[in-house]
Amino acid sequence: MKLDTRAMRHLASEDWRVLTAVEMGSKNHEIVPTPLIEKLARLRGGVSGVHRSISALAKVGLIARVKEAKYDGYRLTYGGLDYLALHTHASRKVVYSVGNRIGVGKESDIMVVADHSGKQCVLKIHRLGRISFRTVKSNRDYLKNRNAQSWMYLSRLAAMKEYAFMNALHEEGFPVPVPLAQSRHTIVMSLIDAFPLRQISEVPDPASLYADLISLILRLASHGLIHGDYNEFNILVKEIKSTDEDGKESVTLEPVIIDFPQMVSMEHVNAEMYFDRDVNCIKRFFLRRFHFTPTQPGPFFKDAKKTVGKGGLKRLDATVEASGFTKKMLKDLEAAIKEKETVNEGQEGAEEDEDDYDEDGDEESEEEEEEDGDDDGSEADDGEGEGRQEALLTGGLSEGLLGDEPAIDKANSEMAKLAV
Ligand SMILES: Nc1ncnc2c1ncn2[C@@H]1O[C@H](COP(=O)(O)OP(=O)(O)OP(=O)(O)O)[C@@H](O)[C@H]1O
């Protein structure tokens, strides 16, 4: 599903209240009964006002009517949750406009956004459940009683976890995007002007980039952490050009780490396996891509373990736990990620029929699909980063997200027509 912000400016404040009411109701109800929406929204216009808003929201696919249920009710769609998150970012003046999608992961969408001053940033929308929950229906203890809303809960957890780690890492001076804000299943971070390692076919000095990447693994370990998915997709490489006194130009490469869904503590029961996997992933990639083999063996987990917290180094695994991310949350998320891995391994090509399913992982009935209105069946895949370049070049951004915001300048709104 794609993020389409066109309807956003047309929603009235009552509509936002009703949408928020559906979200609140979803915490305890798989399908939120209409009387509960009325109660939670408490509009001045009374029940008829609520009904008007419900129709308006259902028409643009932000909520969906559920007919099979014993009672009449609605559920929030991914589109609805996207709008709520964007509304929060817009009200807090973090995001003013939305541009192109620059990446589409299996479990997320990455968009370029801009703030009021036109500064571009990245909005990451977590979409757990897009693939996994429709394929594996058994073995889901951790989602008992959550079923239909599991995608919402897990996507929110993924965003919270990523934001907590990004904050902790940024504060400690690690090369990660600057975390700017988090709302629901989304985070806003700085835009890194770089390409993923997987798109780089040649480097002047593979040994030096390799050494930097390994030393990042060791530095993380000394702070009690393992990335857990340290591969050519999650490492961006920045080119820093400089000129020395004699006017000779040189380029140095600086890695930036993104995406921390499976970051684990060095104390984790499988820490050694995760650590070795990260190291081997980099080794394998350097051999395959750059025909580079390190002269030294290792690094080894047992040596890295000795450095954890040494000399008063801050334990970032503890910092994250202290930030409100409970053990239960970590366990739920870990179970979901493990499930995703099992699914990914067993089912290459499972995405083909993705469009036939809704966010809950259920097969959509035709009626529901019509009503959702959030699926045009086309999945443009610009995950190779071309979209990013385009966005940077054209500044292709939408108009302000909130209807009552001052109009964006003309040049920018012309771009908006192209982009959104
Ligand atoms: N802050 C950023 N600045 C620039 N580009 C970014 C940024 N964050 C993500 N990207 C781009 O978006 C792509 C996907 O990002 P990310 O790895 O976070 O998503 P993901 O859904 O976790 O991916 P997957 O699960 O498929 O590995 C990256 O490879 C990168 O090209």
Side-chain angles (χ1 to χ4, degrees):
M1 84 138 258
K2 267 185 239 153
L3 174 66
D4 181 349
T5 56
R6 273 175 301 192
M8 198 141 174
R9 289 170 62 84
H10 305 297
L11 295 185
S13 63
E14 299 86 60
D15 302 334
W16 285 111
R17 266 186 93 116
V18 172
L19 191 59
T20 308
V22 178
E23 183 190 34
M24 281 159 70
S26 306
K27 296 206 170 105
N28 297 313
H29 294 77
E30 218 173 283
I31 300 153
V32 191
T34 312
L36 181 62
I37 302 176
E38 286 160 9
K39 206 171 126 203
L40 291 169
R42 271 193 261 114
L43 289 191
R44 259 197 233 117
V47 173
S48 71
V50 174
H51 287 190
R52 233 190 344 264
S53 286
I54 286 180
S55 314
L57 295 170
K59 204 167 153 212
V60 287
L62 304 184
I63 58 175
R65 181 150 175 227
V66 188
K67 294 172 200 139
E68 301 93 277
K70 288 185 210 104
Y71 55 87
D72 184 24
Y74 290 84
R75 64 174 177 82
L76 198 64
T77 64
Y78 248 129
L81 194 65
D82 290 354
Y83 267 44
L84 284 165
L86 272 175
H87 189 70
T88 300
H89 289 312
S91 318
R92 291 184 187 153
K93 307 248 184 286
V94 178
V95 174
Y96 177 72
S97 51
V98 177
N100 293 359
R101 182 160 74 172
I102 56 166
V104 49
K106 283 200 177 72
E107 314 271 349
S108 74
D109 285 323
I110 315 281
M111 322 275 306
V112 171
V113 295
D115 66 9
H116 275 71
S117 69
K119 188 167 155 262
Q120 296 192 346
C121 326
V122 161
L123 171 77
K124 178 165 178 176
I125 310 175
H126 284 268
R127 300 208 189 281
L128 259 80
R130 173 141 79 183
I131 304 283
S132 28
F133 303 124
R134 66 184 169 78
T135 37
V136 181
K137 300 245 174 196
S138 57
N139 201 5
R140 288 215 238 146
D141 301 358
Y142 65 97
L143 290 178
K144 251 185 210 141
N145 309 323
R146 285 225 167 84
N147 283 322
Q149 300 311 332
S150 59
W151 58 267
M152 224 192 277
Y153 169 68
L154 290 169
S155 301
R156 190 187 295 248
L157 284 192
M160 280 172 68
K161 184 180 178 191
E162 179 155 35
Y163 194 68
F165 277 114
M166 212 184 278
N167 257 321
L169 292 169
H170 174 66
E171 268 172 28
E172 213 45 54
F174 277 91
V176 295
V178 183
L180 300 171
Q182 189 240 321
S183 169
R184 301 172 176 85
H185 61 323
T186 69
I187 56 179
V188 182
M189 61 183 126
S190 64
L191 173 75
I192 308 294
D193 190 11
F195 286 103
L197 182 58
R198 75 170 189 285
Q199 281 181 35
I200 296 173
S201 49
E202 232 180 308
V203 289
D205 185 4
S208 131
L209 183 61
Y210 174 84
D212 287 349
L213 292 174
I214 295 293
S215 83
L216 270 174
I217 293 184
L218 293 174
R219 199 170 142 212
L220 281 171
S222 69
H223 286 276
L225 290 176
I226 303 168
H227 186 281
D229 199 13
Y230 201 66
N231 58 37
E232 64 272 26
F233 295 88
N234 293 331
I235 295 162
L236 303 181
V237 181
K238 251 171 54 178
E239 266 190 2
I240 314 282
K241 291 196 173 113
S242 56
T243 317
D244 69 11
E245 287 156 7
D246 308 327
K248 210 177 134 213
E249 279 190 9
S250 64
V251 177
T252 42
L253 300 177
E254 259 183 44
V256 178
I257 318 171
I258 56 164
D259 199 18
F260 327 101
Q262 16 212 350
M263 202 109 178
V264 292
S265 162
M266 284 288 280
E267 310 294 339
H268 189 281
V269 277
N270 297 324
E272 183 158 7
M273 184 276 283
Y274 286 120
F275 180 90
D276 289 346
R277 196 170 72 179
D278 279 0
V279 170
N280 290 331
C281 216
I282 292 303
K283 280 191 176 165
R284 216 172 325 131
F285 181 79
F286 270 70
L287 178 63
R288 221 176 42 224
R289 180 68 56 91
F290 308 125
H291 309 291
F292 170 81
T293 319
T295 46
Q296 304 260 338
F300 300 106
F301 177 76
K302 63 173 185 350
D303 302 325
K305 187 82 203 264
K306 288 183 205 141
T307 69
V308 178
K310 219 172 166 193
L313 278 181
K314 200 166 170 191
R315 289 287 300 257
L316 296 182
D317 45 351
T319 308
V320 169
E321 208 167 288
S323 75
F325 211 87
T326 63
K327 283 215 165 70
K328 156 103 179 73
M329 286 171 164
L330 279 175
K331 244 178 89 190
D332 285 355
L333 198 58
E334 203 178 295
I337 287 166
K338 228 185 244 145
E339 184 177 278
K340 177 186 96 175
E341 281 182 351
T342 322
V343 172
N344 288 350
E345 277 160 23
Q347 318 218 359
E348 299 292 37
E351 287 143 81
E352 284 163 23
D353 55 352
E354 190 181 332
D355 287 344
D356 297 337
Y357 294 82
D358 65 8
E359 307 91 328
D360 307 331
D362 299 318
E363 209 161 341
E364 279 190 353
S365 68
E366 266 172 37
E367 286 148 293
E368 198 186 352
E369 201 168 62
E370 232 168 64
E371 210 166 289
D372 269 4
D374 61 0
D375 203 344
D376 61 9
S378 64
E379 238 341 287
D381 192 340
D382 48 10
E384 291 298 310
E386 295 89 349
R388 179 179 68 88
Q389 289 307 317
E390 203 181 305
L392 291 172
L393 291 172
T394 63
L397 296 163
S398 71
E399 294 181 46
L401 296 169
L402 299 178
D404 53 358
E405 291 285 344
I408 197 165
D409 71 67
K410 198 158 175 275
N412 243 356
S413 60
E414 286 300 306
M415 308 281 192
K417 285 176 201 133
L418 297 171
V420 182

